[in-house]
Amino acid sequence: MNDLIIQNIGQLLLPKATDKPLKGKELDELNIVENGTVVINDGKIVYAGSYTDEYEAQSVIDGYGKVVSPSLIDAHTHLVFGGSREHEMALKRQGADYLEILEGGGGILSTVEATRQASEEELFNQAAKNLTTMIQHGVLAVESKSGYGLNHENELKQLRVSRRLADRFNLDMKHTFLGPHAVPKEAESNEAFLQQMIDLLPEMKDYADFADIFCETGVFSVEESKRYMQAAKEQGFKVKIHADEIDPLGGLGLAIDEGAITGDHLVASSEEDKAKLSDSDTIAVLLPGTTFYLGKEDYADARGMLDNNGAIAIATDFNPGSCVTNNLQLVMSIASLKLKLSANEVWNAVTVNAAKAMDIDGGTLNEGDKANLVLWDAPNHEYILYHYGVNHAEKVIHHGQVRVDNHLEI
């Protein structure tokens, strides 16, 4: 006797299982089964496919012709931080850009101050509230970065909170040491601060899965980023990089050359670097919600990356300054509209490819997979992108158990 059957599914979305990320045209390949059935036992998928009545279970959920997919994966977040920065919206309305706000002591540095002042318990409670919202919206795997401590004590504090969240919520979480996220006021120089962060790498290996750096004008150069990434790899880290968000410095090319698991942002990446994606498994993690919030006209060239047979994923970049949303569904809609992605491409980018960007097993519903899935209150998978800004997740099923039930009887 199985634990649960979901029957009468209108569209069952079954991303392709793959050892490597889906690249180029593959991203538009999505198996959509009409009148589907999912069978779950002991937290694992027993069957996911066309209608069958060959199985029995203790519980049965009627899908009422709605959509079922793997749970969503948010592969780039800054989940743990102190304070908020709503006052910066007025500066943005007056035309101040990201770097101008940073130079004025705002931006990342104001969040650094708030994070340093917050206790570990305060950081945990704030992050737990935001993570709960993510789960309610269908996300069951999250990458969580540090980077608002910028010193030994507070970077560790962020990472400890991140690991506590993973234990408390029993989620697939990966933790990223982003010590070189900005240069703190007290630093003697960029070079001296970068060396401090490099010196922390051996200790951070006990708390973090990845090492990341912000390669951008006014922060860290390509050469400085290369030095950090190579030092991190020597300590056994897989590396990521915030790259080409504002200026085309060559961060994507560096990510590819260094074998980074991801290069993130990539709004200003060069044609030359995008062409290099063809021969690389580095995943371009695109963050269109950030471009939207910053009021920029130019978005990352997702179509160009796919035309170069690149691999892309979509994530929120949830943070208190440049993308203040933990609703991945909203970002999926922005990706469809502004990155010109098909519905199939978007769904693959937040499931199977996002799993590859986090280096986890997830994003698929094959026999033996973890039973992490969502029943969506929508007639088809395109509708969820079309009807934007609301929560379409009706039931979020985690390890075979209904963890969130948003169904309302009218």
Side-chain angles (χ1 to χ4, degrees), residues 69-344:
S69 78
S71 57
L72 306 182
I73 296 169
D74 199 340
H76 181 131
T77 83
H78 302 256
L79 179 61
V80 181
F81 59 84
S84 60
R85 282 155 49 189
E86 60 270 21
H87 59 282
E88 290 181 10
M89 289 192 74
L91 297 176
K92 291 182 174 73
R93 287 195 298 270
Q94 294 163 17
D97 66 22
Y98 182 80
L99 293 178
E100 288 174 334
I101 293 172
L102 182 63
E103 290 169 1
I108 289 173
L109 295 180
S110 65
T111 298
V112 169
E113 184 63 26
T115 302
R116 288 178 175 183
Q117 291 181 2
S119 69
E120 187 167 319
E121 204 61 29
E122 288 170 335
L123 291 178
F124 178 85
N125 290 337
Q126 182 169 334
K129 180 179 179 180
N130 287 319
L131 184 55
T132 297
T133 299
M134 293 180 179
I135 295 168
Q136 290 168 338
H137 284 74
V139 171
L140 290 178
V142 177
E143 185 252 15
S144 171
K145 301 179 188 292
S146 68
Y148 293 128
L150 306 188
N151 61 27
H152 174 262
E153 174 188 353
N154 289 289
E155 287 294 309
L156 272 179
K157 181 171 69 175
Q158 279 191 272
L159 289 170
R160 284 197 303 267
V161 168
S162 185
R163 296 182 74 87
R164 280 181 62 193
L165 291 166
D167 292 340
R168 167 65 179 80
F169 287 85
N170 191 28
L171 295 184
D172 286 324
M173 286 186 69
K174 287 295 183 80
H175 318 280
T176 299
F177 173 52
L178 180 57
H181 190 199
V183 180
K185 298 175 184 178
E186 68 269 16
E188 295 178 8
S189 65
N190 278 35
E191 182 177 351
F193 174 69
L194 183 62
Q195 186 59 51
Q196 290 175 17
M197 295 301 102
I198 289 173
D199 291 343
L200 290 180
L201 285 166
E203 183 176 359
M204 295 301 172
K205 191 66 181 68
D206 292 333
Y207 297 88
D209 305 287
F210 305 119
D212 198 346
I213 187 168
F214 190 9
C215 179
E216 188 53 75
T217 300
V219 195
F220 297 101
S221 69
V222 169
E223 284 304 315
E224 289 170 328
S225 301
K226 180 178 180 179
R227 176 182 161 205
Y228 174 80
M229 293 169 79
Q230 290 181 343
K233 288 193 294 183
E234 289 175 2
Q235 295 297 326
F237 282 99
K238 292 186 177 181
V239 292
K240 295 171 171 279
I241 183 171
H242 283 57
D244 302 335
E245 180 178 1
I246 299 169
D247 293 325
L249 301 187
L252 174 57
L254 175 63
I256 294 168
D257 292 343
E258 292 299 321
I261 185 169
T262 69
D264 301 43
H265 284 291
L266 311 181
V267 176
S269 294
S270 68
E271 295 299 322
E272 178 184 1
D273 283 353
K274 283 182 283 189
K276 294 171 69 173
L277 283 168
S278 179
D279 299 318
S280 170
D281 287 329
T282 294
I283 300 167
V285 178
L286 306 184
L287 310 167
T290 304
T291 308
F292 169 81
Y293 186 77
L294 293 176
K296 302 294 185 179
E297 294 183 2
D298 294 328
Y299 284 72
D301 182 19
R303 292 257 55 94
M305 294 174 187
L306 293 174
D307 289 345
N308 280 297
N309 199 40
I312 69 170
I314 303 296
T316 60
D317 190 26
F318 172 58
N319 74 82
S322 61
C323 193
V324 199
T325 183
N326 36 353
N327 180 355
L328 184 53
Q329 294 174 50
L330 173 60
V331 175
M332 290 164 65
S333 297
I334 296 172
S336 180
L337 290 166
K338 297 297 186 178
L339 303 187
K340 312 301 183 186
L341 297 178
S342 71
N344 289 359

Side-chain angles (χ1 to χ4, degrees), residues 15-16 18 20-31 277-278 280 302-312 340-349 352-353:
K16 182 168 63 175
T18 173
K20 294 185 176 183
L22 300 177
K23 300 181 67 176
K25 294 180 180 178
E26 290 181 317
L27 200 71
D28 200 28
E29 298 173 5
L30 179 62
N31 184 19
L277 283 168
S278 179
S280 170
R303 292 257 55 94
M305 294 174 187
L306 293 174
D307 289 345
N308 280 297
N309 199 40
I312 69 170
K340 312 301 183 186
L341 297 178
S342 71
N344 289 359
E345 289 170 334
V346 170
W347 281 99
N348 279 323
V352 61
N353 270 19

Side-chain angles (χ1 to χ4, degrees), residues 2 5 7 37 39 47 50-57:
N2 296 291
I5 292 176
Q7 202 66 280
T37 298
V39 182
Y47 172 84
S50 300
Y51 170 80
T52 178
D53 59 4
E54 296 179 3
Y55 297 90
E56 294 182 352

